[in-house]
């Protein structure tokens, strides 16, 4: 039998990538935390880590990042250290922080874990990871690394969603309101309502999908990679994410009052009932502007807004992220 005969078939190799991976009982944890969550929260997290991981005799390093611009560098260094010591990289913060840390982990072979400390925590909730540190920290000691799907827009990764148009503007305004009035879901919803009442322009976009080209006029293009979020707004494409797809959502060109009505439908879980919504599932789409193909546009990925040059390629990543999470039955019970 030749070495080629001993190598796994493509289907066998794919099956192995989908199997959970055991974590070494002495694997150290390298925890990257965004200090933007507040000094009190940082102190509480450190105390909880000392109590749970310290008493279990597990080694960990908590690296608190005060400057958001240094978050990617801190995550990259954590990946280097985890790789050298057969450890686990942990992101602590909201979805934006988790995505920044996961971006550094992706492709390294290191397991990734999360301690959710954000407002909505869609990523952790979708995977059954509790928001309470008293429950999420002990999970680090018992969970296996499961492969989970991530998305990309060009070279930028996202865990939950990516968007352009009105949605990034909503996120920018929400951040301004949070700085003035504090972080809460009520403040987030209030800022969204104010933004929707203002005049906004529509985008003309060409979307290439499965060999066909479609032109749309819309206020925003939203691409989802989070079943929980899509279920909450009532999108029928939500279950398709588990089949290795992303979901695209774009409202047709409508006025401000109609836009608010559509948002209310989403808030009550009835978005898919709307007549003025375009939605479909996909593995890859390419988005261009009909007259300015290489223009730069604002794109939001997991709440973080940046400029990206068109064309925009939204796609499912070719390999998964290895996430420490509860087993399927427990994760399903924890989703809320």
């Amino acid at each position: 039998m030749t070495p080629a005969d001993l190598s796994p078939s493509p289907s066998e190799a794919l099956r192995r990538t989908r199997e959970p991976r055991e974590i070494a009982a002495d694997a150290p944890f390298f925890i990257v935390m965004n200090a933007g969550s507040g000094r009190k929260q940082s102190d509480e997290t450190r105390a909880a880590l000392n109590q749970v991981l310290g008493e279990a005799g597990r080694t960990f390093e908590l690296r608190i990042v005060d400057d958001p611009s240094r978050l990617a560098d801190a995550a990259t260094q954590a990946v280097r250290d985890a790789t050298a010591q057969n450890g686990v990289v942990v992101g602590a913060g909201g979805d934006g922080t988790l995505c920044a840390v996961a971006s550094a982990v992706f492709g390294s072979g290191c397991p990734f874990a999360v301690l959710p400390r954000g407002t909505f925590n869609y990523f952790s909730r979708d995977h059954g990871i509790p928001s309470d540190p008293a429950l999420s920290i002990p999970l680090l000691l018992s969970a296996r690394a499961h492969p989970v799907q991530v998305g990309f827009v060009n070279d930028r990764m996202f865990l939950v969603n990516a968007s352009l148009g009105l949605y990034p503007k909503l996120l920018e305004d929400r951040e301004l309101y949070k700085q003035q009035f504090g972080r809460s879901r009520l403040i987030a919803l209030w800022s969204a309502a104010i933004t929707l009442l203002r005049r906004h322009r529509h985008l003309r976009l060409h979307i290439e999908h499965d060999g066909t080209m479609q032109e749309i006029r819309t206020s925003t293009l939203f691409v989802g990679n989070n079943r929980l979020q899509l279920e909450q707004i009532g999108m029928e494409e939500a279950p398709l994410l588990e089949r290795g797809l992303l979901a695209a959502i774009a409202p047709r060109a409508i006025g401000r009052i109609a836009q608010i009505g559509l948002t209310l439908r989403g808030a009550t879980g009835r978005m898919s009932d709307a007549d003025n919504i375009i939605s479909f599932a996909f593995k890859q789409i390419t988005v261009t502007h009909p007259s300015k193909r290489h223009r730069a546009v604002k794109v939001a990925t997991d709440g973080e807004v940046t400029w990206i040059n068109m064309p925009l390629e939204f796609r499912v990543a070719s390999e998964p992220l290895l996430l420490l999470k509860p087993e399927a039955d427990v994760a399903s019970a924890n989703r809320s």
Side-chain angles (χ1 to χ4, degrees):
M1 184 175 293
T2 66
D5 295 326
L6 295 173
S7 61
S9 65
S11 59
E12 174 68 10
L14 182 60
R15 183 186 66 80
R16 291 181 184 178
T17 64
R18 293 176 177 170
E19 291 179 345
R21 182 171 129 190
E22 299 290 343
I23 303 301
D26 60 350
F29 298 102
F30 298 89
I31 304 160
V32 181
M33 183 171 187
N34 185 358
S37 54
R39 175 64 181 273
K40 179 181 178 182
Q41 197 173 85
S42 299
D43 290 344
E44 290 174 348
T45 301
R46 186 185 296 276
L49 288 166
N50 282 323
Q51 180 179 353
V52 177
L53 300 186
E55 290 182 0
R58 292 295 289 274
T59 301
F60 73 92
E61 293 183 21
L62 176 60
R63 301 173 179 182
I64 299 177
V65 181
D66 296 310
D67 182 356
S69 67
R70 296 188 61 253
L71 189 60
D73 290 338
T76 299
Q77 185 59 53
V79 171
R80 291 195 191 104
D81 295 338
T83 301
Q85 301 180 45
N86 194 30
V88 178
V89 178
V90 184
D95 286 327
T97 297
L98 302 186
C99 184
V101 179
S103 296
V105 175
F106 183 77
S108 69
C110 283
F112 176 60
V114 303
L115 299 178
R117 305 296 281 164
T119 303
F120 292 98
N121 298 320
Y122 276 117
F123 179 69
S124 56
R125 289 165 57 204
D126 192 36
H127 292 290
I129 300 170
S131 298
D132 185 349
L135 299 175
S136 59
I137 294 176
L139 186 63
L140 299 177
L141 299 172
S142 59
R144 295 189 294 172
H146 295 252
V148 300
Q149 174 177 294
V150 299
F152 273 87
V153 50
N154 292 7
D155 60 353
R156 193 171 179 90
M157 194 179 85
F158 57 94
L159 301 175
V160 179
N161 60 57
S163 60
L164 63 150
L166 180 60
Y167 195 76
K169 177 60 177 173
L170 287 169
L171 296 175
E172 288 182 321
D173 290 350
R174 185 180 76 184
E175 192 59 31
L176 291 175
Y177 273 81
K178 283 182 177 180
Q179 291 174 8
Q180 296 180 57
F181 305 110
R183 294 181 176 272
S184 72
R185 296 190 185 190
L186 182 60
I187 295 299
L189 294 173
W190 174 251
S191 69
I194 293 176
T195 303
L196 289 172
L197 285 170
R198 297 178 184 145
R199 175 175 293 180
H200 52 268
R201 67 185 184 88
H202 292 109
L203 305 172
R204 287 181 62 218
L205 301 174
H206 282 173
I207 300 179
E208 184 179 345
H209 176 227
D210 284 345
T212 64
M213 180 74 75
Q214 179 181 12
E215 179 173 323
I216 65 170
R217 289 188 69 242
T218 182
S219 60
T220 191
L221 173 64
F222 179 95
V223 174
N225 184 46
N226 187 275
R227 177 167 180 167
L228 174 63
Q229 187 178 44
L230 293 177
E231 286 177 342
Q232 284 187 344
I233 63 175
M235 296 307 301
E236 60 185 13
E237 288 84 3
L240 299 179
L241 269 58
E242 295 185 359
R243 293 168 53 184
L245 301 173
L246 300 172
I249 306 168
R252 301 183 189 276
I254 54 178
R256 281 175 284 178
I257 300 302
Q259 184 77 55
I260 292 174
L262 187 61
T263 302
L264 291 174
R265 276 183 174 273
T268 56
R270 297 181 297 117
M271 183 77 80
S272 62
D273 295 338
D275 295 330
N276 47 14
I277 280 286
I278 301 168
S279 64
F280 58 92
F282 67 93
K283 275 191 173 294
Q284 177 181 329
I285 59 172
T286 301
V287 179
T288 57
H289 189 280
S291 60
K292 299 179 181 178
R293 180 174 175 82
H294 297 291
R295 68 178 294 183
V297 294
K298 280 185 179 179
V299 177
T301 52
D302 292 345
E304 304 298 319
V305 181
T306 189
W307 289 90
I308 302 180
N309 287 326
M310 283 190 162
L312 302 178
E313 182 187 74
F314 295 87
R315 68 188 188 279
V316 176
S318 58
E319 62 181 283
L321 181 71
L322 295 174
L323 175 69
L324 266 65
K325 55 180 282 189
E327 301 303 315
D329 54 342
V330 177
S332 178
N334 288 344
R335 290 176 77 237
S336 61

